[in-house]
Amino acid sequence: MSTAILTGQPVPGSSIEGDLRSLGYDVRVAADPADAETLLAQVPGDQRVALVDARFVGHLHALRLGLTDPRFPLAAIPGAVTAQPAGRQALTRAMARENSAGGGTALAVDSLADRIVTALTDDGSDVHRPELGSLVAVVPADPQARNEARQAVSAVDDEAVRLKSAVKSRDGFFTTYCISPYSRYIARWCARRGLTPNQVTTASLITALIAAGCAATGTRGGFVAAGLLLIFSFVLDCTDGQLARYSLQYSTLGAWLDATFDRAKEYAYYAGLALGAARGGDDVWALALGAMVLQTCRHVVDFSFNEANHDATANTSPTAALSDKLDSVGWTVWLRRMIVLPIGERWAMIAVLTAVTTPRITFYALLIGCAFAATYTTAGRVLRSLTRRAQRTDRAATALADLADSGPLAQGFAEAFKNPARKLPGFTAPAVALLGGLVLLGLAAQPGFGGPWAVVGAFVYAVTSGLAVARPLKGPLDWLVPPLFRAAEYCTVLMLAAKAEVNGALPAAFGLVAAVAYHHYDTVYRIRGNAGAPPAWLVRSIGGHEGRTLLVTVLAAALTASQFKVALTALAVAVALVVLVESIRFWVAAHLGGAPAVHDEGEPA
């Protein structure tokens, strides 16, 4: 139970006590600032506490935004301030200093809560102030001001503002105009029935898995049902975030579930389409795996670029200025958001094509659309990076090194190349990573299955991977290193499985890449949640990207095609078990341990 301490002169007929109780607060009344300090000390340290001026006039949703958001240790709106356990010490310190300075004598003139906020700011504490927009939150100084404030409250529909704010401020065209106009009402329906965002997220996953099962039937009716269910899954996917914003139910576990399940839903649907096509005699597993590889590499480009520039100084460029200028022209905003094929547009295209065409046509369209989007976004980011004069931080370099997923082999070569690498040009890291990947794929593409050339290529790749990360990744294009590693590893698995030409090899490769991709996505979500990278033992136990690549090429060289299929399957199961168990353990422990709540709006995925 959270505790609200009312301070100041009570106002007859005020609804503030009822409003606070409706938000889950136990309300206590302080006679003066000294009494407020005493009441504050009596509240257990593991509970949220709020100081609220009894004269407060405003919308209930303004109080909700200011006093119940779990993401911020300290938050305030005019006339009210709140502290979660992480911010209690700072609040207690500010209260004690305010009382010792005699601030209580001004209680009838101004608000104690506002003075505490000023003291917190002067103390260097980070106090979150939510954007209220048209919502009212004031402490009137006299009866006339109070009447004017009440009229202002009556003039604005609190619930309409709350519904509008539940929708993500920046989203794709399809989501904005075809989903959000009604999904926000589904979110409100869920909130009024006590459903949580995590429950809605889980329902979205189950719906998508049923859609994948329908697609796997290989019948026209199954494909139509799959398309409809995929759209409904996306509606629920939008609803969970809107429910979180509507009811301020943010959590670390929820952010992880939402992001992870999005990937699981899409890639499971790819598998369902491939199974359905196989029932009709058409083998599209290579296309399904290619689509997953391309989509994952697109995401890694996004993640790496954003992490490299997360806190870079002088973060401007002519290309960025042109982009901002284009954003000022209305229609170009939507056009540029649509051509990158975000999740809404992508899933809508997949759903429609599934219902009216074949899995092969669906994958062709998906590969062409994603390839164009990847080329467009990557080219723009390369131009921004080349024209930007920015200093990358140690934090950015560490994040890129974590995203690289270097195993013992690459780390060993990196240590050996540490001194020589300091003398190399700034573009060395991406150039060497690209060169190593091209050598690997070129040798792996040699005619026939098996043979030593792919192993030679994998060894060269391990050496170049070590050189690429031998010094901190602070160069203008060093953010390309992780996606180049992903493309090299995933495409090698795809090529070798396709060359095996035995039933089941490509599905096994699909499973292996899916398990490894999960590990890479999990690394991203830990970094975004300020939880650090996965433990070193995990990276070592699954070999790192260069170790897995070398192992797969050795298996292809040493085994028959049928044995290679079995080995890929076993490797996929082993990697999946290790990364899933450790990941679930970590996120559940973080949630139970009271990790700070996060809600990453991010880019449309």
Side-chain angles (χ1 to χ4, degrees):
M1 172 69 75
S2 302
T3 300
I5 301 171
L6 281 179
T7 66
Q9 184 67 36
V11 177
S14 173
S15 63
I16 186 63
E17 287 194 41
D19 289 343
L20 290 171
R21 289 193 175 94
S22 72
L23 296 177
Y25 278 94
D26 176 31
V27 180
R28 303 178 186 179
V29 180
D32 52 44
D35 189 27
E37 184 176 5
T38 301
L39 291 174
L40 177 62
Q42 293 174 354
V43 178
D46 60 349
Q47 293 183 11
R48 177 193 284 272
V49 67
L51 291 174
V52 183
D53 195 301
R55 298 166 296 168
F56 176 88
V57 174
H59 288 98
L60 175 62
H61 192 50
L63 281 173
R64 182 181 292 109
L65 290 173
L67 303 183
T68 66
D69 196 322
R71 296 173 295 176
F72 309 103
L74 293 164
I77 57 174
V81 60
T82 184
Q84 295 199 80
R88 285 288 301 275
Q89 186 176 3
L91 180 64
T92 301
R93 204 167 44 238
M95 172 71 84
R97 188 166 61 252
E98 177 65 22
N99 282 345
S100 64
T105 59
L107 185 59
V109 178
D110 61 1
S111 168
L112 173 62
D114 291 342
R115 294 202 306 275
I116 294 298
V117 172
T118 301
L120 285 168
T121 304
D122 293 343
D123 195 34
S125 299
D126 185 12
V127 181
H128 171 68
R129 293 174 173 83
E131 177 61 48
L132 297 180
S134 59
L135 296 175
V136 177
V138 295
V139 179
D142 53 58
Q144 180 179 350
R146 172 170 292 277
N147 289 332
E148 292 174 353
R150 285 174 172 170
Q151 291 173 6
V153 170
S154 300
V156 176
D157 187 342
D158 179 277
E159 181 61 20
V161 173
R162 187 181 180 190
L163 268 176
K164 184 178 179 180
S165 64
V167 178
K168 190 186 294 186
S169 58
R170 185 183 185 279
D171 220 328
F173 181 87
F174 179 78
T175 304
T176 300
Y177 291 103
C178 300
I179 304 296
S180 292
Y182 58 88
S183 61
R184 69 185 74 181
Y185 295 101
I186 300 176
R188 181 173 66 180
W189 183 90
C190 293
R192 290 177 175 176
R193 283 152 183 81
L195 297 177
T196 67
N198 290 352
Q199 291 171 331
V200 178
T201 301
T202 303
S204 176
L205 173 66
I206 294 172
T207 304
L209 293 179
I210 295 174
C214 291
T217 63
T219 64
R220 178 53 52 194
F223 288 147
V224 171
L228 292 173
L229 287 170
L230 186 64
I231 291 296
F232 183 58
S233 174
F234 182 64
V235 172
L236 293 177
D237 183 53
C238 294
T239 300
D240 63 4
Q242 291 166 359
L243 175 59
R245 287 182 286 272
Y246 181 85
S247 57
L248 300 184
Q249 296 184 71
Y250 303 120
S251 71
T252 298
L253 182 64
W256 171 70
L257 286 176
D258 182 50
T260 302
F261 283 3
D262 277 351
R263 307 286 77 82
K265 288 181 287 189
E266 185 164 0
Y267 298 158
Y269 193 84
Y270 293 175
L273 281 177
L275 288 170
R279 284 179 175 271
D282 189 12
D283 186 355
V284 297
W285 274 106
L287 296 178
L289 179 51
M292 181 167 65
V293 169
L294 180 55
Q295 189 59 32
T296 303
C297 289
R298 280 186 64 197
H299 286 142
V300 177
V301 167
D302 294 341
F303 300 146
S304 296
F305 180 80
N306 291 334
E307 287 303 322
N309 296 281
H310 177 74
D311 47 8
T313 57
N315 203 12
T316 59
S317 73
T319 309
L322 175 61
S323 177
D324 293 339
K325 186 175 182 179
L326 287 174
D327 281 345
S328 65
V329 183
W331 64 271
T332 66
V333 175
W334 294 116
L335 177 63
R336 293 166 67 217
R337 291 185 190 178
M338 290 175 66
I339 62 177
V340 300
L341 211 61
I343 188 170
E345 278 76 358
R346 191 168 67 250
W347 283 24
M349 180 186 74
I350 293 171
V352 171
L353 291 177
T354 298
V356 301
T357 65
T358 65
R360 180 172 290 275
I361 293 175
T362 301
F363 281 124
Y364 280 153
L366 182 63
L367 285 166
I368 293 171
C370 287
F372 177 81
T375 302
Y376 171 79
T377 55
T378 304
R381 286 167 177 172
V382 167
L383 287 175
R384 288 192 185 197
S385 300
L386 291 175
T387 56
R388 173 181 290 145
R389 296 293 181 265
Q391 295 295 322
R392 268 76 182 189
T393 63
D394 291 339
R395 178 200 176 279
T398 300
L400 290 179
D402 293 335
L403 290 172
D405 189 34
S406 299
L409 276 175
Q411 290 175 353
F413 286 122
E415 186 64 28
F417 292 137
K418 181 177 294 185
N419 291 328
R422 294 174 182 172
K423 303 175 183 179
L424 296 176
F427 59 83
T428 298
V432 169
L434 176 61
L435 176 62
L438 291 176
V439 170
L440 168 64
L441 295 176
L443 293 177
Q446 295 300 307
F449 177 75
W453 287 113
V455 179
V456 173
F459 181 78
V460 173
Y461 174 69
V463 175
T464 56
S465 297
L467 180 57
V469 297
R471 65 182 184 185
L473 297 175
K474 293 185 177 182
L477 294 178
D478 285 359
W479 56 270
L480 284 169
V481 171
L484 287 171
F485 286 166
R486 298 296 81 78
E489 178 185 1
Y490 298 165
C491 289
T492 299
V493 175
L494 169 58
M495 291 173 62
L496 294 177
K499 289 170 63 177
E501 295 183 343
V502 295
N503 289 334
L506 281 168
F510 188 96
L512 176 59
V513 172
V516 175
Y518 176 88
H519 165 62
H520 292 145
Y521 280 118
D522 189 58
T523 301
V524 169
Y525 303 141
R526 295 193 196 207
I527 293 173
R528 283 186 166 184
N530 296 317
W537 70 262
L538 176 65
V539 177
R540 288 195 299 268
S541 67
I542 59 175
H545 68 96
E546 80 294 344
R548 289 187 299 271
T549 303
L550 181 59
L551 175 60
V552 171
T553 58
V554 168
L555 291 174
L559 303 176
T560 65
S562 297
Q563 292 170 335
F564 179 66
K565 175 191 70 174
V566 175
L568 276 186
T569 303
L571 183 59
V573 171
V575 172
L577 284 175
V578 172
V579 298
L580 279 171
V581 169
E582 201 286 326
S583 174
I584 293 171
R585 180 210 61 79
F586 170 81
W587 288 105
V588 171
H591 177 69
L592 297 177
V598 296
H599 185 72
D600 183 13
E601 297 288 355
E603 299 291 324

